[in-house]
Amino acid sequence: MQTQRNTHTRLLSAALLVFAMWHGSFAGESVVSAPVAMEIAIRAGDLRMVLENTGQGLRLAGLTDLVTSQELCPAEPAPLFSVVLRDVQTKDLLTITADTGWKQVDVASSGVMGTHTLTFAAPTDDRLEGIRVEVTLEVEAGDSALTWDLRIANDNPRWALWRIVFPQAAVRDLGEDAKVFAQVTSGVELSGMWTKAGKRGGPYPGGWTCMQYMAAYNKARRTGLYVGMHDPFGSTKDIFAEGQPAKEAVLFTFDHPAPDMGKPGVGFDLPGKARWQLLRGDWFDAAQIYRAWAMQEARWWPALGPAGREDTPKWMRELPAWVMTGGAASDCVPQVRKFAEAIGLPTGFHWYNWHQIPFDNDYPHYFPVKDGFAEGVAELKTAGVYPMPYINGRLWDTRDKGAEDWAFSRTALPAATKDEDGKPCTESYGSKETDGNSVTLAVMCPTTPLWQDRVSDIVLRLFSEYGVSGVYIDQIAAAQPRLCFDASHGHELGGGHWWTEGYWKMLDAIRAAKPADRMLTTECNAEPYIKWLDGYLTWHWQQQDMVPAFSAVYGGTIQMFGRAYRGGPTQDLANRMKAAQQLVYGEQIGWFGPEVIERADCWPFLRDCIQLRWRLREYFCRGHMARPPRLAGPVSTVTADWQWSGEWLVTTDAILTGAWRIPQENKLVLLFANVSDDPYAGRLDLNPADYGLAATPVTVTAIQPNAGRGDPPLADQRWIARPLAIQAIDRAEVELPPRNILAWEVRRIDGN
Ligand SMILES: [Zn+2]
């Protein structure tokens, strides 16, 4: 049996270090000294990292793709870690980094296990005595990946941990057509980040920063780097990609507020592991790395059976369309029925303002309901509509009965989130009290039994007394965690993962108590609540340069629905673009106002998207996303004002494409949507291996709307399905009339 051989290098003081050279192994062997800086090379498959001794720490000196010889590390690399400390008495902040300020640095390597431990101790600033950082690094040669962990010990009575930036990695300009994948809504793929200053990202978990990885790549050159924080708890952190033109670099950072931030003597243990991995593809390949991890370790990955999320009612998994309006039943029920009749299919209805209190005011006192609510719910359910009222899952009005503080101070205040000074954290959204002042809403702490029970009571009452099909609980997967400092809540102060766990506990109780045929949804798509919810409102997926990375990671684990559809001079084109994007991204189509059925320039197209999604529904609830197929040659683009926030121009390809697969049944569907007024003819350019189709015979069935629009409103009369004779799927010709959609259902026929 082979014994583990350790190489251990102790780097002493700065003066000595300059003359010490690490030379392979030295346990029991000779130490070679030379007047050069020390370097440590670590190889993980095709990725080679070089760490350099600075005399007072370690810095990255190289990160090389050995196959393409592409250097990834820029001329000025980022420190491996940065830690912000706070003086307990003065509250002064001070930053320490991996590359400087340490009198003692150890590197211990286990050649057999491929693990390396980097220890940073004895800060040169004597005030920081007792602070020590240990970074461990595991090599995964097969994936050309480095997996990192980090711990900080703090025996210092005066200095407390405040924020920890780890991992952080800068990537140099990877040349023409290099791209950056950043976390914005569904994910964005950006050009020009190396030449433009600016940051993309934000606080996680939140609606705009939903997952914990980024990437930089040059697909044509087959090189790049994936940088992920594989934190199975969804702890609070800021995640950014930052263009640094002066350094010709893009910097990826994960910045964690420390749990119990500001408390002396408290250390830090990285929640989960960080990962750097060589990337030879694009955003889709990066998504597959993250998906493989999330399936194994993320606490929020749900149980998936042969039919998908079996804890989500079947009707919700299959729902093709959503309509959104509100008010008293007499105002909205007839219009919603008309919309449902126009599609002839099950319809979700997001019902706002069913309560007597004004919107964003007097929360959470949602009862009594407006007259006729229960009757309206019952009527809609008989018409194939699934009503889902709105509530907020996070806010309590500080003046919660008109302009009066009725129950806030006496009941809610102890359970509200608090800043460091003990003041409740509040927000305003433009709603006004009766006296004209802005409504000030307190953010409730999700760990408190008071708030958990209050939300549960409201939801269960809507189910039991009013028979609603689902409840939308606003803001849970949209708003970032507050750094709550209220010690009476019993959670760690500030950072950590108590916020997500608070909501998990609240939603566990609601799911256990609710009828099995009802469902729960929330706003936006922050990942760590997926297992506890049935649907995510993707209303904010309105960005230029979006790619469906969230669908690529999580398709099939939760239903996505509800883009915001807006007005303006290019509304019809914008509506077609949004609906087509929803179709290929795997979302349920809509959140339309019911009056959209009157719009001749978009409704026929929207209706086709809804009906095609219905026909193909099993792919979206039982399958998962495959790489969107590429069309060879230039595809024209379209631009419309999506009116997300004022004028909001978005440009997309005129032909949007998507692919969804049920691998266990050898089935695949390719989707094509022409949102423009021009016909399209071109050919596919895809790699059959991406779809499990390499060297296998296939049958292809084309499914598309029958030419004669305005046919009787029976779904099957408007659709034709015909077998295609296709010799080579990878170069097949695709033709699409203007404003038309097409699906190719592809089946392997070898039975493998
Ligand atoms: Zn709290």
Side-chain angles (χ1 to χ4, degrees):
M1 191 178 181
Q2 193 176 11
T3 55
Q4 183 173 308
R5 188 181 63 162
N6 284 307
T7 61
H8 188 264
T9 305
R10 166 148 295 205
L11 314 178
L12 300 169
S13 71
L16 273 174
L17 270 174
V18 177
F19 299 100
M21 183 174 175
W22 187 85
H23 222 238
S25 60
F26 103 61
E29 298 170 28
S30 62
V31 183
V32 179
S33 296
V36 293
M38 190 187 100
E39 284 193 347
I40 302 162
I42 294 170
R43 183 169 171 179
D46 297 338
L47 185 65
R48 181 177 186 265
M49 179 176 73
V50 177
L51 295 176
E52 177 188 62
N53 166 40
T54 64
Q56 288 198 357
L58 294 173
R59 75 194 273 269
L60 191 68
L63 192 66
T64 314
D65 175 351
L66 295 174
V67 171
T68 63
S69 300
Q70 173 69 52
E71 180 54 47
L72 302 165
C73 179
E76 283 184 62
L80 287 172
F81 62 79
S82 299
V83 178
V84 178
L85 301 163
R86 193 167 79 157
D87 184 314
V88 172
Q89 286 160 21
T90 66
K91 300 197 174 171
D92 288 343
L93 299 175
L94 183 155
T95 301
I96 54 174
T97 57
D99 53 351
T100 188
W102 307 95
K103 283 185 272 191
Q104 191 185 319
V105 178
D106 286 353
V107 179
S109 300
S110 153
V112 173
M113 303 300 288
T115 57
H116 306 267
T117 303
L118 322 177
T119 308
F120 303 78
T124 52
D125 183 338
D126 291 338
R127 295 174 301 166
L128 305 182
E129 192 185 348
I131 289 168
R132 177 187 152 94
V133 180
E134 186 180 284
V135 175
T136 58
L137 179 55
E138 282 174 42
V139 167
E140 291 181 43
D143 289 338
S144 299
L146 299 166
T147 299
W148 302 85
D149 204 352
L150 175 139
R151 275 183 197 78
I152 304 174
N154 177 12
D155 297 324
N156 189 299
R158 175 90 188 246
W159 288 87
L161 295 177
W162 193 247
R163 299 194 73 106
I164 297 94
V165 184
F166 185 83
Q168 63 179 343
V171 179
R172 72 163 57 195
D173 191 338
L174 299 177
E176 200 183 347
D177 295 330
K179 300 269 169 56
V180 168
F181 172 79
Q183 290 296 335
V184 182
T185 64
S186 71
V188 291
E189 186 184 56
L190 304 168
S191 302
M193 269 207 99
W194 283 275
T195 50
K196 278 192 296 244
K199 289 169 93 167
R200 300 301 294 274
Y204 167 95
W208 273 257
T209 309
C210 306
M211 301 187 285
Q212 309 173 91
Y213 72 97
M214 295 172 282
Y217 45 87
N218 186 319
K219 191 179 184 183
R221 288 195 200 165
R222 292 181 49 75
T223 193
L225 189 70
Y226 166 98
V227 182
M229 183 60 228
H230 293 178
D231 167 4
F233 304 100
S235 310
T236 303
K237 57 180 76 71
D238 290 343
I239 301 175
F240 280 105
E242 182 182 357
Q244 299 183 321
K247 298 181 178 179
E248 295 177 354
V250 170
L251 176 65
F252 298 120
T253 53
F254 296 80
D255 182 348
H256 311 251
D260 278 335
M261 59 201 300
K263 268 196 190 173
V266 175
F268 177 77
D269 191 351
L270 189 74
K273 301 256 172 84
R275 190 175 179 93
W276 296 2
Q277 183 167 338
L278 203 56
L279 183 67
R280 300 221 180 277
D282 61 12
W283 66 268
F284 187 83
D285 303 276
Q288 300 316 303
I289 297 171
Y290 192 71
R291 176 181 163 88
W293 165 76
M295 285 174 76
Q296 293 297 316
E297 292 190 23
R299 295 290 199 274
W300 53 85
W301 192 271
L304 297 176
R309 269 290 289 275
E310 286 167 10
D311 65 325
T312 293
K314 187 162 182 280
W315 65 262
M316 173 58 181
R317 277 179 274 152
E318 296 185 344
L319 209 54
W322 282 87
V323 63
M324 183 269 285
T325 180
S330 55
D331 294 332
C332 63
V333 168
Q335 297 178 56
V336 171
R337 287 194 65 152
K338 239 173 120 181
F339 178 92
E341 282 159 17
I343 58 168
L345 292 172
T347 302
F349 169 35
H350 198 165
W351 192 332
Y352 280 75
N353 293 306
W354 52 274
H355 39 74
Q356 295 187 12
I357 55 170
F359 191 72
D360 280 349
N361 200 339
D362 292 352
Y363 288 176
H365 310 301
Y366 297 95
F367 298 100
V369 302
K370 282 180 179 154
D371 286 347
F373 180 60
E375 296 77 6
V377 167
E379 181 188 338
L380 287 169
K381 285 168 77 176
T382 63
V385 175
Y386 294 87
M388 176 187 73
Y390 169 102
I391 67 162
N392 187 294
R394 208 169 138 269
L395 302 175
W396 194 306
D397 187 358
T398 56
R399 296 198 290 163
D400 56 346
K401 191 174 192 178
E404 175 197 343
D405 175 357
W406 176 56
F408 176 70
S409 291
R410 69 181 155 89
T411 304
L413 183 58
T417 55
K418 310 289 190 319
D419 64 18
E420 255 203 296
D421 300 326
K423 291 203 191 73
C425 304
T426 61
E427 296 171 357
S428 290
Y429 291 87
S431 52
K432 300 274 190 244
E433 298 286 7
T434 47
D435 60 11
N437 287 311
S438 283
V439 176
T440 302
L441 300 135
V443 178
M444 300 303 291
C445 185
T447 66
T448 58
L450 181 129
W451 186 240
Q452 290 170 355
D453 293 347
R454 177 64 63 136
V455 175
S456 179
D457 288 349
I458 297 164
V459 171
L460 297 176
R461 191 170 166 194
L462 281 164
F463 285 137
S464 64
E465 288 182 29
Y466 299 94
V468 299
S469 305
V471 178
Y472 171 86
I473 312 173
D474 203 24
Q475 293 197 316
I476 294 175
Q480 75 228 47
R482 286 288 189 157
L483 303 180
C484 177
F485 282 86
D486 190 330
S488 76
H489 296 170
H491 56 69
E492 290 163 324
L493 304 185
H497 46 80
W498 50 267
W499 180 276
T500 49
E501 286 167 339
Y503 274 113
W504 297 350
K505 193 171 175 203
M506 172 199 286
L507 294 166
D508 263 335
I510 298 175
R511 289 188 86 79
K514 78 171 179 61
D517 62 344
R518 318 294 173 85
M519 59 81 176
L520 305 172
T521 66
T522 192
E523 181 189 12
C524 298
N525 61 302
E527 63 184 355
Y529 312 100
I530 284 177
K531 185 172 136 180
W532 292 268
L533 292 159
D534 304 293
Y536 271 176
L537 185 86
T538 51
W539 76 305
H540 63 313
W541 288 13
Q542 308 276 346
Q543 303 294 313
Q544 180 64 44
D545 304 316
M546 280 195 303
V547 289
F550 188 83
S551 304
V553 174
Y554 289 116
T557 67
I558 190 159
Q559 307 312 311
M560 299 165 279
F561 73 101
R563 295 278 183 107
Y565 285 77
R566 299 266 162 92
T570 55
Q571 176 185 354
D572 293 304
L573 175 58
N575 285 1
R576 295 197 302 270
M577 291 162 78
K578 291 176 189 181
Q581 208 176 53
Q582 286 196 291
L583 177 69
V584 301
Y585 281 24
E587 298 161 59
Q588 298 175 349
I589 315 294
W591 217 37
F592 304 114
E595 67 287 350
V596 77
I597 61 175
E598 312 295 338
R599 298 194 71 86
D601 278 343
C602 69
W603 175 244
F605 184 89
L606 308 181
R607 187 192 58 200
D608 286 348
C609 289
I610 293 166
Q611 291 182 339
L612 184 61
R613 195 195 192 278
W614 175 253
R615 293 185 73 104
L616 300 172
R617 60 193 181 278
E618 63 169 341
Y619 285 94
F620 307 111
C621 60
R622 301 172 53 209
H624 61 81
M625 181 178 243
R627 191 186 301 275
R630 212 177 83 81
L631 294 164
V635 173
S636 61
T637 59
V638 288
T639 301
D641 176 8
W642 285 24
Q643 299 215 336
W644 170 245
S645 176
E647 188 184 57
W648 191 265
L649 297 179
V650 173
T651 299
T652 68
D653 283 349
I655 316 298
L656 301 177
T657 70
W660 289 76
R661 242 183 114 187
I662 305 179
Q664 63 272 27
E665 293 175 18
N666 296 325
K667 293 202 296 194
L668 165 75
V669 69
L670 302 178
L671 298 161
F672 307 94
N674 182 358
V675 303
S676 77
D677 290 322
D678 300 317
Y680 172 81
R683 68 173 179 80
L684 277 179
D685 175 15
L686 54 76
N687 178 1
D690 281 340
Y691 308 92
L693 298 175
T696 54
V698 297
T699 61
V700 181
T701 305
I703 302 165
Q704 63 195 127
N706 210 337
R709 294 189 187 281
D711 288 349
L714 291 169
D716 286 342
Q717 292 186 12
R718 281 215 296 267
W719 290 82
I720 49 173
R722 60 195 165 87
L724 297 184
I726 287 176
Q727 297 304 316
I729 185 78
D730 53 331
R731 287 176 287 113
E733 297 288 330
V734 178
E735 282 186 35
L736 271 169
R739 302 187 187 183
N740 214 305
I741 57 175
L742 166 69
W744 283 2
E745 199 164 21
V746 183
R747 290 169 193 263
R748 281 169 54 159
I749 52 178
D750 59 354
N752 292 326

